[in-house]
Amino acid sequence: AVFGVSALPSFDVGQADLIIDLGSDFIDTGLSPTEHARQFADARDVKLHSDGGTRLISVGPRMNLTTASADQWIPAKAGSEGLIALALAKAVYDAKGVPSGSDSAAVESLLRGADAATAASRAGLEKGDVKALADKLLHAKHPVVLPPGVAMTSSSATTTMAAVLVLNVALGAAGRSMLIPASDDGAAP
């Protein structure tokens, strides 16, 4: 339980100006694909957003409906999502510092050893790919990163989810694009 509750957070992609999808396939098979597809369509409605609205970058090994709808696809190796999330979180924390109210010792322990070069190498990417993602996150006003979905069932699934949640806290997405359940009733959102 990353935030003291065992329930999954919910995501409102309509509140983001940049979405990095680490394999959730939120438009087709995510936790709430109908709601997310509506939110995403509204967030990219050119009648409402003269700049084209929300940008989507899909990072993962599979072409799916979300990836096909993305502005950019970065074909990372399966299972590398957690390393990418940790490298991105390290870059964001290095640039912004630990948010107030966060346990800085726990954050530093979690991110110790995380770096773009290692993540890129294990993901089959160039170091510049991970650094460019971090730069886009740091320059976005309201970014959110979505964790892998049901396709991620490896032994690192829980760690990967925790890394993505910590990254979203660093980005300021908690309470805006990432909603954390108030109680631990055990129910998924």
Side-chain angles (χ1 to χ4, degrees):
V2 174
F3 300 109
V5 293
S6 59
L8 295 171
S10 60
F11 294 90
D12 183 348
V13 299
Q15 298 298 313
D17 63 340
L18 173 66
I19 302 165
I20 295 184
D21 177 44
L22 293 177
S24 74
D25 192 15
F26 71 94
I27 293 175
D28 193 30
T29 63
L31 290 175
S32 185
T34 303
E35 178 65 14
H36 287 152
R38 184 198 59 76
Q39 291 170 352
F40 186 60
D42 290 347
R44 289 181 62 117
D45 186 341
V46 294
K47 293 177 185 171
L48 301 174
H49 309 281
S50 61
D51 64 352
T54 300
R55 296 283 151 244
L56 170 61
I57 301 171
S58 180
V59 180
R62 295 170 195 81
M63 176 59 73
N64 54 42
L65 188 58
T66 301
T67 301
S69 301
D71 298 293
Q72 180 182 1
W73 176 30
I74 300 174
K77 289 181 182 176
S80 65
E81 297 89 346
L83 289 172
I84 293 169
L86 286 172
L88 294 174
K90 175 109 171 73
V92 171
Y93 278 103
D94 285 350
K96 293 185 169 189
V98 178
S100 63
S102 297
D103 181 344
S104 60
V107 170
E108 289 171 14
S109 175
L110 175 70
L111 300 179
R112 188 174 298 119
D115 68 89
T118 302
S121 174
R122 299 280 289 285
L125 304 172
E126 298 295 324
K127 179 180 175 182
D129 294 334
V130 177
K131 287 190 170 208
L133 276 176
D135 189 54
K136 288 178 182 179
L137 284 171
L138 287 166
H139 286 91
K141 291 181 180 145
H142 301 292
V144 68
V145 180
L146 302 179
V150 295
M152 176 75 154
T153 56
S154 72
S155 60
S156 64
T158 301
T159 304
T160 298
M161 174 64 96
V164 172
L165 298 179
V166 167
L167 172 55
N168 278 306
V169 168
L171 293 168
R176 188 188 62 249
S177 299
M178 182 181 77
L179 306 173
I180 303 160
S183 66
D184 193 7
D185 63 10

